[in-house]
Amino acid sequence: MSIRTGRFRATLAGTGLSLALLAGCSTEVPQPQPEAVAETPPAALDEDRLARVLEEVQATVAEADEARDPELLEPRVGGPALDLRAAEYKLAAATDGDSAPDALTTMPQVAAVPAAEDFPRPAVVITQVPEGANLPLLLVLEQATARDPYKMWGWVTLFPGIETPAMSHPDAGSAVVPADADTLVVPPGEVVDRYVDTLNKSDSEYAEQFAEDPFKESSRSTTTELDEAIEAAGEATISAAAGDDGPIALATADGGAVVVGELRSTLTLRRTVPGSELRAGGALGALLGDNTEVLGTVSGVSDVLMAFYVPPADAEDQTIRPLGATTVLTEVTRDDAAAPAEE
């Protein structure tokens, strides 16, 4: 899905049947001949319907953003996107607007619609660059059941210079890839777990499976710099764990898949030097409230949505490429009982 301008049109196949009534008992009544059933389901969204969905998502987000009210998101935003946007509103309030919600747009450059008869049905859209931002987004939409509207399930900011893979032809739609599919170098359900292992262990057995990416590099450098900055009073550590949402996976034209999943990243400040003073600053301190002093530990949990390109199992290059990430600080906790013993 190399980023390019274009719109997708889906073909909806119908079945036409005619019944001839013939007089006379000696003549057989012809049996109806249905049209041949396609081997794969048709695309589940046509161009006009997708455009309406994107317009309604945009309008819903704009209204909720103005009011900073997450309940206004619910008609067209669900899944982890609802939690992330609500957390952004909370952080904006705690910082008096210094921390603003991500700039979002649903204006598409290219889209991949699902070819599926079952639910839930996901779709992926690469957007234009939002106003006030520098990079396009990868949006994930999902229709939970036939009675539900499509909602924005998540958004990911694409990494600079990333090349997104080509998806299947829009008329046919893109197949939804199950979590346990064995057609990829790694089943979609294992991608986030393996990536998390590379975040937590410098000698991870999966390190060579993933290309380097800005999220991993930033996570390492930020922790190192923070740890050095507070070494007179304590230490900073970071750990990651797979989240509860996802994966969502759509097939690419080469037999691979775009996989989007969630992880949680926890930054912990620990006071280790008795008699020292350590305070949490920035967004971490803002969510702590009036008391920003770290007596024992203070931990900030960020929800992270990440998109990956996972090659097909028979690919010559079997490297999994992270495509983008969105990180939002969602929770801050403190444990004063973990304070070091005072001399």
Side-chain angles (χ1 to χ4, degrees):
M1 190 171 55
S2 297
I3 294 178
R4 62 187 188 279
T5 303
R7 303 185 73 185
F8 287 86
R9 183 177 300 277
T11 301
L12 302 179
T15 302
L17 301 179
S18 60
L19 180 63
L21 299 179
L22 302 179
C25 59
S26 62
T27 305
E28 289 187 12
V29 177
Q31 297 299 307
Q33 298 295 319
E35 296 177 8
V37 177
E39 292 184 5
T40 58
L45 277 172
D46 62 20
E47 180 184 25
D48 292 338
R49 187 179 173 210
L50 177 60
R52 288 197 302 271
V53 168
L54 294 175
E55 289 170 1
E56 289 170 9
V57 169
Q58 182 76 70
T60 299
V61 171
E63 180 184 10
D65 282 359
E66 184 174 357
R68 294 291 196 266
D69 183 354
E71 290 188 1
L72 296 178
L73 292 168
E74 293 178 4
R76 281 296 185 174
V77 180
L82 183 59
D83 296 333
L84 292 177
R85 207 60 171 178
E88 288 188 321
Y89 294 163
K90 182 179 178 181
L91 192 54
T95 60
D96 294 326
D98 288 343
S99 177
D102 283 353
L104 294 182
T105 182
T106 62
M107 186 67 65
Q109 289 193 56
V110 69
V113 298
E117 294 178 333
D118 299 327
F119 292 90
R121 291 177 176 176
V124 168
V125 175
I126 303 296
T127 75
Q128 305 286 342
V129 177
E131 184 177 354
N134 298 314
L135 296 165
L137 307 174
L138 183 151
L139 302 182
V140 179
L141 307 171
E142 185 179 65
Q143 184 183 25
T145 73
R147 296 179 179 274
D148 293 309
Y150 267 92
K151 296 184 178 184
M152 182 172 69
W153 181 91
W155 76 91
V156 170
T157 300
L158 294 176
F159 294 138
I162 200 70
E163 183 177 347
T164 54
M167 305 300 287
S168 302
H169 191 276
D171 285 347
S174 297
V176 179
V177 184
D180 60 352
D182 60 3
T183 56
L184 308 177
V185 295
V186 174
E190 296 182 19
V191 172
V192 170
D193 287 327
R194 296 193 185 195
Y195 182 75
V196 162
D197 197 73
T198 71
L199 294 175
N200 291 332
K201 303 174 186 176
S202 59
D203 60 348
S204 169
E205 63 181 299
Y206 306 120
E208 297 302 317
Q209 289 188 338
F210 293 87
E212 285 296 312
D213 67 271
F215 174 79
K216 185 181 294 182
E217 293 170 4
S218 175
S219 178
R220 289 171 178 166
S221 62
T222 298
T223 307
T224 299
E225 292 169 6
L226 185 56
D227 189 50
E228 292 174 352
I230 68 172
E231 63 180 351
E235 63 181 12
T237 58
I238 195 166
S239 62
D244 297 328
D245 290 304
I248 284 181
L250 277 179
T252 53
D254 63 359
V258 169
V259 177
V260 183
E262 182 191 42
L263 61 94
R264 307 196 89 197
S265 179
T266 302
L267 173 66
T268 299
L269 305 181
R270 181 183 300 274
R271 188 169 72 96
T272 59
V273 180
S276 64
E277 181 176 315
L278 179 60
R279 293 188 178 275
L284 211 62
L287 288 185
L288 274 177
D290 294 334
N291 181 12
T292 61
E293 186 173 5
V294 182
L295 298 177
T297 64
V298 166
S299 297
V301 179
S302 296
D303 284 359
V304 184
L305 279 185
M306 288 201 68
F308 304 85
Y309 164 66
V310 184
D314 59 356
E316 199 170 307
D317 181 0
Q318 301 206 340
T319 305
I320 298 172
R321 292 191 292 113
L323 301 176
T326 288
T327 304
V328 180
L329 180 64
T330 57
E331 179 185 1
V332 177
T333 59
R334 63 185 309 138
D335 181 4
D336 294 342
E342 300 296 333
E343 296 179 347

